Amino acid sequence: MKKLVLIALLFSLSATTIVAAQSKQAQKEVFASTYHNTKTLVNTQQFLYVGEMVYNNETREVLNGEIKTLTIDKSEVSGKVISVRSDKKTINVTGKIEDYMASFDDQKQEVNISFNVKTESATVTINIEIKPNGNAFLTVSSAGNEKISWTGKLKSMS
């Protein structure tokens, strides 16, 4: 009787492992086209980052209004990044792009973009991490240790 229970337990554990592995592979296949489209868009260096949510460690707020889009156009970027209302920070990111780097992790289906922007008043560092499902996490920091984080999506300029 103990052997029968042990065999049933082993069978159920192995079945669970097989199902989990299959669902992860199916999810990767679903995200493959999103990842391919993201790679193509990032390589053009002409896209919009459209923010949906701004957050800090304690608070999340929905972005609405006109200030929620950054335009990346080859060697220039334009836009403003605002923080949560309680922080009352705005970073102007309009200027020339320097040190543009895009890296692609085909295994994880993730894209990372980083560059600096020379604005009139400071150098701003921008990092964008795009996940397999297309969600993009933007982090903007300036010389004054100000850091603003957004979630959003990349969009084509056309």
Side-chain angles (χ1 to χ4, degrees):
M1 185 68 170
K2 288 181 183 180
K3 288 182 181 179
L4 186 59
V5 170
L6 185 60
I7 290 172
L9 180 63
L10 286 173
F11 178 73
S12 66
L13 288 174
S14 63
T16 304
T17 304
I18 290 169
V19 168
Q22 287 175 343
S23 69
K24 188 172 185 175
Q25 182 62 29
Q27 182 182 35
K28 196 170 188 175
E29 291 170 6
V30 168
F31 291 148
S33 67
T34 302
Y35 175 65
H36 175 71
N37 293 339
T38 300
K39 279 177 69 171
T40 303
L41 187 60
V42 167
N43 281 327
T44 67
Q45 293 184 20
Q46 287 185 297
F47 54 87
L48 303 173
Y49 179 93
V50 180
E52 297 170 350
M53 189 82 70
V54 60
Y55 62 94
N56 61 20
N57 291 335
E58 300 109 27
T59 310
R60 290 183 179 266
E61 295 175 5
V62 174
L63 288 167
N64 44 9
E66 294 177 19
I67 302 179
K68 67 178 187 177
T69 302
L70 292 181
T71 303
I72 292 88
D73 191 2
K74 299 272 184 197
S75 63
E76 295 185 359
V77 63
S78 61
K80 291 182 181 180
V81 180
I82 59 170
S83 66
V84 291
R85 280 177 252 154
S86 59
D87 292 345
K88 297 180 184 170
K89 295 179 195 168
T90 300
I91 300 176
N92 180 6
V93 292
T94 300
K96 295 278 185 198
I97 293 175
E98 297 178 345
D99 304 322
Y100 184 93
M101 295 213 9
S103 62
F104 307 99
D105 186 334
D106 293 337
Q107 185 66 27
K108 293 181 180 177
Q109 295 182 335
E110 293 182 350
V111 178
N112 286 294
I113 304 166
S114 64
F115 56 90
N116 295 319
V117 180
K118 274 273 206 226
T119 67
E120 292 177 4
S121 59
T123 299
V124 178
T125 301
I126 297 179
N127 292 301
I128 304 172
E129 182 180 352
I130 303 116
K131 298 295 185 180
N133 60 5
N135 288 337
F137 297 87
L138 171 80
T139 304
V140 177
S141 53
S142 68
N145 292 328
E146 296 178 55
K147 183 176 172 183
I148 299 175
S149 300
W150 285 8
T151 61
K153 303 269 187 195
L154 297 188
K155 305 272 184 188
S156 173
M157 292 178 79
S158 54

